[in-house]
Amino acid sequence: MPVLDLIEKTRDGVPLSREDIDRLVAGIVDNRWPDYQLAAWLMAVVLRGLTDQETFWLTGAMAEMGRPHPALGDVDKHSTGGVGDKTTLVLAPLVAALGLRMAKMSGRGLGHTGGTLDKLESIPGFRVELPIDAIRRQVEQIGVAVVAQSRELAPADRRLYALRDVTGTVNHPALIASSIMSKKLAAGTPNLVLDVKVGNGAFMTELRDANRLARLMVDIGRYYGRRMTVLMTTMQQPLGWAIGNAVEVNEAVGVLRGEGPSDLREEVVRLAAELLHLAKGMPLAEAETEAHQALQSGRAWERFIQWVRWQGGDVAAVEAGLPLGPVTRVWRAETRVTVQSLNTRAIGEVALMLGAGRHRLEDAVNPAVGLHCYLKTGRTYEAGDVLAVVYAMTETAADDAVKKLTAAVTFGEPESVPPLVLGRISTEE
Ligand code: URA
């Protein structure tokens, strides 16, 4: 049967049955439905919406078609993406040091947000394409593996996402939630923490919208028997200082060695505590203390080194600090200034402009370029203090980057300073 009746139902606000949704998704996977009809259905969803029940069925159908994996680990994590978000680099070895197993499938960066795989590949030799048996062995031995998303996982999402990208249909909660959750359900992990970024550097700019998305994802998780918690965290400013690839790895290493920016450390500890709470039932306050200790004692750092070695990375290069540059430009405060607000997206675009990110998925990224942005809302800097350092390939690129960075900052007294964690929703409540 063709797909036209399903497009018409959604267009008219008539809920699809489970059989309808299974037929829709089967035709997406085996390419029976042409792009123009799927695009029409997606637009009908954006204009008329889906019921929660339709969203649950859609997510389940997308997760099950293709080849779901037997769970490789106990815990998984996903972030909706932000500027300077290198939490996975610290969180994965940290939770392994806490006795959990994390086998995470990650993606590449697109636009102003970075991707974990690009960051890991800035470590010489680091491999992100591993056979499933090798991933399984690694997770059994050291409790951590981060690899590229398998093409077999939730293939319906791959096709729908590409269509959404070019038809103005990305930004609908039912479509976002089913896209993210189908991949997480297909990966099979029983405990999941989601980091939904909110603010002017994220793809959800309003807390109200983020809340709605978070609740829908938690409802999907509950419907399919997963334990999960969503933290909504601020993207009104970059996370940490480093933005780029090698520069973010270096910063993650700093946090694993007990240094580095406090916002990054705090966020990683909160996420790790949520996973300990979900997987082991540990009270949150106790879980946070455990996570702090694993970072401060160097146990997480040791696990990071093992992890890099197992995936072929050059440990000596990581220990020495990955090279940045070659052209460095330091931006200093000329007078005493306080940061009123930051245009986080524009700061992410500075890294993109320098070559750290990609406009299209087939573009190559440069591991060595990026920046340290020391600006935080509400902080005061004295004349001569370093506000940012840019690592560029050419003098012109460095000058352009500082110019764009300057335009992304407003100085003055802020009305308020954004808290790191803006909200929390869990299947455990
Ligand atoms: N990330 C996804 O995987 N899917 C979306 O729709 C949005 C963000």
Side-chain angles (χ1 to χ4, degrees):
M1 206 197 282
V3 73
L4 180 61
D5 60 321
L6 307 184
I7 303 171
E8 288 174 343
K9 274 189 180 176
T10 302
R11 179 200 64 193
D12 296 340
V14 177
L16 301 180
S17 67
R18 175 154 201 172
E19 291 68 36
D20 289 339
I21 286 180
D22 286 348
R23 172 154 60 94
L24 175 77
V25 176
I28 296 172
V29 175
D30 67 15
N31 281 319
R32 231 176 315 148
W33 315 137
D35 282 356
Y36 54 84
Q37 286 191 303
L38 291 178
W41 181 76
L42 288 167
M43 189 55 83
V45 172
V46 169
L47 298 177
R48 297 301 301 249
L50 291 180
T51 64
D52 284 356
Q53 183 62 71
E54 286 175 289
T55 309
F56 300 161
W57 284 333
L58 176 65
T59 312
M62 291 207 298
E64 278 160 28
M65 313 250 173
R67 209 178 314 152
H69 283 291
L72 292 168
D74 320 303
V75 294
D76 199 355
K77 173 254 178 184
H78 182 82
S79 160
T80 54
V83 178
D85 181 3
K86 69 283 287 176
T87 48
T88 295
L89 302 181
V90 186
L91 181 70
L94 172 59
V95 296
L98 291 165
L100 301 172
R101 294 173 308 155
M102 181 183 273
K104 179 168 160 40
M105 298 206 183
S106 285
R108 299 191 180 278
L110 192 58
H112 71 284
T113 66
T116 301
L117 295 186
D118 297 323
K119 294 168 200 182
L120 287 171
E121 282 181 338
S122 68
I123 301 172
F126 198 101
R127 291 190 310 267
V128 296
E129 307 275 354
L130 297 181
I132 198 85
D133 288 347
I135 302 172
R136 195 181 306 282
R137 217 173 320 120
Q138 181 175 326
V139 175
E140 273 163 19
Q141 293 289 320
I142 63 166
V144 50
V146 178
V147 296
Q149 173 108 23
S150 156
R151 293 188 72 82
E152 292 163 0
L153 202 81
D157 176 62
R158 187 178 292 273
R159 185 157 174 224
L160 276 189
Y161 196 81
L163 274 177
R164 287 165 59 205
D165 207 24
V166 292
T167 56
T169 55
V170 167
N171 229 350
H172 187 276
L175 297 178
I176 300 170
S178 56
S179 165
I180 293 174
M181 288 302 294
S182 64
K183 288 173 282 199
K184 292 294 153 188
L185 293 181
T189 318
N191 304 293
L192 172 62
V193 70
L194 291 182
D195 183 5
V196 173
K197 299 280 179 205
V198 192
N200 61 18
F203 126 85
M204 289 272 145
T205 53
E206 302 298 325
L207 184 56
R208 191 189 51 240
D209 297 335
N211 238 309
R212 189 158 155 233
L213 175 66
R215 190 157 297 285
L216 186 55
M217 291 196 289
V218 166
D219 287 344
I220 295 171
R222 192 180 287 117
Y223 188 83
Y224 288 103
R226 305 297 161 95
R227 286 183 295 272
M228 66 181 274
T229 298
V230 181
L231 290 186
M232 281 159 274
T233 62
T234 188
M235 220 352 97
Q236 275 301 100
Q237 53 192 357
L239 183 63
W241 302 316
I243 307 160
N245 295 299
V247 68
E248 291 197 35
V249 171
N250 290 347
E251 182 165 280
V253 165
V255 171
L256 286 158
R257 290 173 139 175
E259 305 151 13
S262 57
D263 58 347
L264 175 60
R265 182 173 323 108
E266 187 187 333
E267 186 161 320
V268 169
V269 165
R270 290 287 299 263
L271 292 167
E274 294 290 356
L275 287 175
L276 272 177
H277 179 62
L278 289 173
K280 295 191 173 178
M282 192 182 284
L284 276 176
E286 191 183 323
E288 280 190 27
T289 307
E290 289 270 322
H292 258 300
Q293 278 169 357
L295 270 184
Q296 294 312 117
S297 66
R299 276 190 290 142
W301 165 239
E302 281 166 27
R303 200 56 70 107
F304 179 87
I305 291 292
Q306 275 183 316
W307 168 35
V308 169
R309 193 172 285 128
W310 269 75
Q311 290 193 229
D314 182 344
V315 169
V318 171
E319 284 178 323
L322 299 175
L324 308 175
V327 179
T328 302
R329 192 72 88 246
V330 180
W331 177 31
R332 292 180 188 275
E334 285 168 19
T335 56
R336 185 171 206 265
V337 286
T338 301
V339 177
Q340 185 176 64
S341 64
L342 297 165
N343 180 341
T344 314
R345 187 187 176 98
I347 297 172
E349 283 166 357
V350 172
L352 180 64
M353 197 173 89
L354 287 165
R358 51 169 75 76
H359 294 281
R360 293 170 313 163
L361 264 177
E362 55 275 20
D363 294 344
V365 302
N366 185 329
V369 297
L371 62 148
H372 278 115
C373 173
Y374 296 109
L375 298 151
K376 294 287 174 191
T377 310
R379 262 195 64 181
T380 298
Y381 302 80
E382 302 300 332
D385 281 355
V386 176
L387 302 179
V389 184
V390 166
Y391 309 96
M393 292 308 288
T394 64
E395 302 285 339
T396 316
D399 290 341
D400 289 348
V402 172
K403 220 177 287 165
K404 190 164 165 75
L405 201 51
T406 312
V409 188
T410 307
F411 292 112
E413 281 308 316
E415 278 173 26
S416 62
V417 176
L420 189 61
V421 178
L422 302 159
R424 173 182 185 274
I425 302 179
S426 180
T427 52
E428 304 305 281
E429 273 115 46

